[in-house]
Amino acid sequence: MSGPTFVILGATGDLARRKLIPALYRLLGGWDKAMVLGVSRSDLGDEGYRAYARESLADAGFNEGEATKWCDSCIHFAQAAPGDGYGGVADRIAELESEHRLGGDRVFYLALPPKAYPGTVADLGEAGLDKAPGWVRLVVEKPFGTDLESARELNEIVHRYFPEESVYRIDHYLGKETVQNLLIFRFANALFESSWNRGGIESVEITVAEAIGVEGRGNYYDGSGVVRDMVQNHLAQLMTLVAMEPPASYSPGAIRDEKVKVLESLQPLDAESVVFGQYGPSGDVDGYLAEDGVAPDSAVPTFVAMRLAIDNWRWQGVPFYLRTGKGLGRRVTQIAVTFHDNPVRFFDQTAPDHLLMTLQPDEGFELRVDVKEPASDMNLRQIPLTFSYEEEFGRLPDAYETLLADVVEGDQTLFVRADMVEEAWEYFAPILDPPTPPYLYPAGSWGPREAESLLHHERGWTTR
């Protein structure tokens, strides 16, 4: 079976080493013919880049002999830098496709700093690489722009050379099995879909927490902040999947139409519905201001919590709480759905039922319900009914492996469309640069105490 030519632009960067090369090894290993062409400004040559790829695969735990054989047959290299033009890259691709008798299907992956995207896309187009004997697909990492204006400009440059159906804006959170299964969970199980509305649900919380700090990314992070880094992409995507209406069909276009409608239905943000924080020192852990590349008086937030309202029939009156930050209590990404309590309480100890959907680190579902303790006088305890993907199915594909397979297959369901990018930037524009300093919270905590004030109840955030 003949595979595609997969071109990594920025082939010696951290993303290529940690994620792309291992994912491509798993993905392309089943093809008799497939090719990975690394492109960077380094003067490595084929053998140098094969050594680089072997080190990547060794770090990922793959068998050395099998990895070496794959690298020797599939890995190639071309030297070029953004702004230099890609005429030489085009010649190299044509030469290798002819030599390996490939069909001319091509994927171009921009594993580059975002500031290099416009020039690189233009270079690809000017070199004629927007066309091929087979199909051409362009993969773009987030962040896609830094605000509405820059996102529109980048969309315009991309569409100058590549039609929207050839563009794959990647968000690795959407490659998680739990995220993909959310649509199945909702629309294939009548038990949940029938209560997935204001009548059955009290609130929805989405938490993306990282225990680490900025870890050497201070220069980048101090120019972006938490909203640009996480909210307008990751959290917005997760929220729309939870809140979307049933699509007219299970097709990429229909699903992405419904996700855009959610953003269009959001009520405008107000200052009282958003709390910003910045992690400070705690014990042996330094605070944000001590990180390399961070201004000593920086007011850039590393945490944000917000309360959103969706102004449509399904979700009227149901608060959506979004929370993300660095230096928090533990690494976890979780969607917590709290159902309404019974209208009449026969038992004083009852608590609302919770559905927890965990995306990382342990993907699965958990439904918390009340049961009676044995041999007790009506003492109730809330217990979890759990499902773990790994326990049931074994090793799960890496998110990049899943998404790259979708790119090759031409499935855009889990990728972000141009209009959704712009809609998200427009909605979150008022909080991109907070007008007031963030609240300080100690590293290892769950953010500033002021975030509790956003909740419409006194139970606190579900995810801890």
Side-chain angles (χ1 to χ4, degrees):
M1 180 172 63
S2 178
T5 299
F6 205 104
V7 183
I8 305 176
L9 303 162
T12 56
D14 186 59
L15 175 62
R17 183 185 181 93
R18 291 190 305 108
K19 296 294 185 180
L20 298 185
I21 294 174
L24 288 170
Y25 177 68
R26 292 191 183 100
L27 176 64
L28 301 180
W31 273 295
D32 296 330
K33 299 176 183 178
M35 183 176 69
V36 177
L37 178 65
V39 178
S40 90
R41 65 176 74 244
S42 304
D43 185 16
L44 288 177
D46 286 350
E47 291 305 318
Y49 195 57
R50 286 169 186 158
Y52 180 89
R54 285 194 295 270
E55 291 175 2
S56 167
L57 296 176
D59 291 343
F62 292 106
N63 177 274
E64 181 179 353
E66 294 177 359
T68 296
K69 181 179 178 181
W70 181 79
C71 290
D72 289 345
S73 64
C74 293
I75 295 289
H76 305 273
F77 185 80
Q79 185 180 16
D84 292 347
Y86 285 144
V89 174
D91 292 340
R92 179 78 164 133
I93 292 172
E95 171 193 337
L96 290 169
E97 286 179 341
S98 175
E99 177 184 339
H100 293 273
R101 299 181 181 179
L102 298 178
D105 296 329
R106 299 169 184 173
V107 177
F108 293 95
Y109 198 113
L110 302 189
L112 296 162
K115 63 182 180 182
Y117 292 170
T120 301
V121 171
D123 284 346
L124 289 172
E126 294 303 318
L129 289 171
D130 55 330
K131 301 174 180 64
W135 47 254
V136 177
R137 286 162 194 161
L138 178 73
V139 184
V140 186
E141 274 278 343
K142 71 101 177 172
F144 200 84
T146 57
D147 53 23
L148 178 60
E149 182 181 0
S150 61
R152 283 175 172 166
E153 290 174 354
L154 185 52
N155 277 334
E156 191 277 327
I157 292 172
V158 168
H159 290 157
R160 193 182 304 166
Y161 301 100
F162 296 90
E164 181 63 26
E165 58 267 25
S166 297
V167 182
Y168 291 72
R169 299 172 188 83
I170 197 167
D171 184 338
H172 71 273
Y173 272 74
L174 300 186
K176 303 288 185 180
E177 286 292 336
T178 312
V179 174
Q180 297 178 72
N181 201 46
L182 182 56
L183 297 178
I184 307 299
F185 188 87
R186 283 191 55 189
F187 301 130
N189 296 288
L191 172 66
F192 291 104
E193 179 54 23
S194 61
S195 59
W196 209 263
N197 52 52
R198 69 185 189 279
I201 292 177
E202 175 190 292
S203 64
V204 177
E205 300 173 29
I206 302 176
T207 295
V208 179
E210 298 179 82
I212 60 174
V214 296
E215 288 204 318
R217 298 169 64 234
N219 284 322
Y220 159 75
Y221 202 91
D222 214 42
S224 61
V226 67
V227 178
R228 288 183 172 89
D229 188 49
M230 296 295 291
V231 176
Q232 66 82 32
N233 40 66
H234 296 329
L235 268 75
Q237 289 294 317
L238 296 179
M239 179 193 63
T240 57
L241 280 169
V242 173
M244 63 181 278
E245 293 295 323
S249 64
Y250 190 75
S251 66
I255 291 171
R256 299 200 293 179
D257 285 345
E258 296 303 330
K259 290 170 68 177
V260 171
K261 289 178 185 177
V262 174
L263 290 177
E264 293 173 340
S265 300
L266 288 170
Q267 293 181 8
L269 279 170
D270 60 75
E272 295 181 354
S273 298
V274 184
V275 171
F276 289 101
Q278 183 187 93
Y279 68 89
S282 177
D284 296 333
V285 181
D286 292 331
Y288 176 70
L289 297 182
E291 299 279 4
D292 291 340
V294 173
D297 59 348
S298 174
V300 169
T302 61
F303 170 96
V304 66
M306 62 186 72
R307 183 178 64 242
L308 306 182
I310 301 175
D311 196 11
N312 64 18
W313 185 273
R314 180 183 293 264
W315 297 113
Q316 189 70 38
V318 179
F320 276 67
Y321 302 107
L322 275 58
R323 178 178 61 160
T324 184
K326 294 187 176 295
L328 297 180
R330 64 187 174 104
R331 173 180 174 262
V332 62
T333 298
Q334 197 169 71
I335 301 167
V337 178
T338 300
F339 294 93
H340 284 300
D341 205 353
N342 293 321
V344 177
R345 300 186 67 179
F346 292 106
F347 310 102
D348 293 337
Q349 302 172 48
T350 57
D353 297 334
H354 295 284
L355 172 65
L356 304 181
M357 295 168 276
T358 303
L359 280 64
Q360 63 179 15
D362 303 309
E363 295 183 58
F365 296 84
E366 178 180 301
L367 180 62
R368 296 179 181 174
V369 297
D370 289 315
V371 300
K372 176 184 175 295
E373 291 183 359
S376 69
D377 187 16
M378 283 302 179
N379 291 331
L380 305 186
R381 180 186 300 178
Q382 194 167 73
I383 64 165
L385 306 176
T386 62
F387 163 74
S388 165
Y389 272 97
E390 187 169 2
E391 289 179 6
E392 183 68 25
F393 299 110
R395 189 197 77 84
L396 295 178
D398 176 81
Y400 277 95
E401 183 182 347
T402 298
L403 292 170
L404 293 178
D406 286 347
V407 171
V408 173
E409 294 168 6
D411 184 353
Q412 291 184 306
T413 304
L414 298 176
F415 297 84
V416 187
R417 204 167 60 189
D419 55 344
M420 186 170 189
V421 170
E422 295 181 13
E423 195 72 41
W425 277 122
E426 184 171 16
Y427 180 76
F428 291 108
I431 62 170
L432 290 179
D433 300 300
T436 57
Y439 294 102
L440 192 67
Y441 63 94
S445 70
W446 282 96
R449 288 175 296 176
E450 288 78 5
E452 303 288 331
S453 66
L454 298 175
L455 303 173
H456 285 157
H457 55 75
E458 298 180 355
R459 297 188 299 271
W461 293 81
T462 304
T463 298
R464 290 291 187 183

